[in-house]
């Protein structure tokens, strides 16, 4: 009888411990938040924000259009209304949305309404897709960016929209080792990304605008 009671007590204690651990994991997972931004080439935005402490993941995709689950070709061809966008999943206990928004504005050219850097057209324009709880922070970040630049910031603060992840070819492009044929010759995706980023003038323009305040230039 004593042995049986001991086993029952141990089993109950184990069940409680497992339950508390599961609740702790679930609670932590529920604390994660997302921020969706459009900053031109989504490869670059994804690469930049995955370096930020507290960011768990950045996913390349599309937002803001009228076509459900669009393809990359559809978006870049035009007519879907979508922008290349990145959905950033972050831990607000480590990095706050205000910080991410400040970094975003200083990683793009928010004075350009026609695209970003060498990529022209509506699908490459900038935007913040803010949830209702993020609207005030997004508007404040835009106002701060405009004050710091002394120029008109045209990046719109839009309502949160459905985010559609791009296909696997475009995810983590900046660190993939697959060999592809580019205008620079055969290169790994990682090296093709570096060549593209430099040729497109992204970092040069961001440095010109933001100087030492540019957080990712050269990455």
């Amino acid at each position: 009888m004593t042995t049986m009671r001991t086993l029952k007590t141990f089993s109950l204690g184990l069940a409680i411990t497992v339950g508390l651990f599961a609740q702790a994991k679930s609670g932590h997972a529920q604390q994660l938040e997302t921020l969706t931004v459009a900053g031109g080439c989504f490869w670059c935005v994804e690469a930049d924000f995955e370096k930020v402490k507290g960011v768990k993941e950045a996913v390349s995709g599309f937002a803001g259009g009228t076509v459900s689950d669009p393809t990359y070709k559809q978006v870049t061809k035009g007519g879907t209304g979508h922008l290349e966008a990145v959905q950033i999943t972050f831990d607000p206990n480590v990095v706050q949305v205000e910080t991410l928004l400040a970094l975003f504005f200083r990683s793009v050219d928010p004075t350009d309404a026609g695209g970003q850097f060498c990529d022209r057209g509506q699908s490459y324009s900038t935007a913040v897709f803010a949830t209702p709880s993020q609207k005030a922070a997004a508007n404040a970040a835009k106002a701060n960016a405009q004050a710091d630049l002394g120029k008109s910031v045209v990046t719109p603060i839009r309502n949160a929209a459905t985010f559609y992840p791009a296909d696997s070819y475009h995810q983590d492009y900046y660190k993939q080792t697959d060999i592809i044929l580019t205008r620079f010759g055969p290169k790994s995706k990682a090296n093709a990304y570096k060549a593209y980023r430099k040729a497109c003038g992204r970092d040069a323009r961001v440095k010109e605008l933001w100087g030492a305040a540019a957080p990712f230039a050269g990455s």
Side-chain angles (χ1 to χ4, degrees), residues 35-38 62-66 80-85 101 104-105 122-132 134-136 138-139 142 154-162:
L35 171 66
T36 302
V37 296
F62 316 101
T66 57
T80 69
H82 286 285
L83 310 186
E84 285 199 12
L101 288 163
F104 167 70
F105 276 103
Q122 179 263 340
S123 65
Y124 292 106
S125 57
T126 60
V128 175
F129 293 94
T131 63
Q134 294 170 342
K135 270 288 180 69
N139 283 314
K142 178 176 178 176
V154 299
T155 301
I157 308 302
R158 298 175 58 173
N159 292 330
T162 301

Side-chain angles (χ1 to χ4, degrees), residues 64-120:
T66 57
V67 175
S68 297
D69 200 17
T71 64
Y72 178 78
K73 286 186 177 180
Q74 284 178 306
V75 173
T76 54
K77 182 180 180 181
T80 69
H82 286 285
L83 310 186
E84 285 199 12
V86 171
Q87 187 170 81
I88 303 162
T89 300
F90 64 98
D91 185 343
N93 293 314
V94 180
V95 61
Q96 295 183 329
V97 70
E98 289 84 358
T99 300
L100 295 175
L101 288 163
L103 292 172
F104 167 70
F105 276 103
R106 287 156 186 78
S107 67
V108 296
D109 180 354
T111 69
D112 187 351
Q116 284 291 284
F117 318 109
C118 68
D119 294 316
R120 311 312 300 164

Side-chain angles (χ1 to χ4, degrees), residues 35 37-52 55-61 84-89 104 107-108 163 165-176 193 197 202 216 219:
L35 171 66
V37 296
C41 169
F42 51 23
W43 299 338
C44 298
V45 180
E46 178 187 355
D48 287 345
F49 278 90
E50 286 196 339
K51 296 178 176 69
V52 177
V55 169
K56 300 301 182 182
E57 184 181 32
V59 176
S60 292
E84 285 199 12
V86 171
Q87 187 170 81
I88 303 162
T89 300
F104 167 70
S107 67
V108 296
F163 176 81
D167 60 84
S168 59
Y169 178 89
H170 295 285
Q171 305 300 336
D172 292 322
Y173 193 95
Y174 71 100
K175 58 185 179 184
Q176 289 191 27
Y193 163 75
R197 183 165 180 145
R202 186 182 189 99
F216 306 119
S219 62

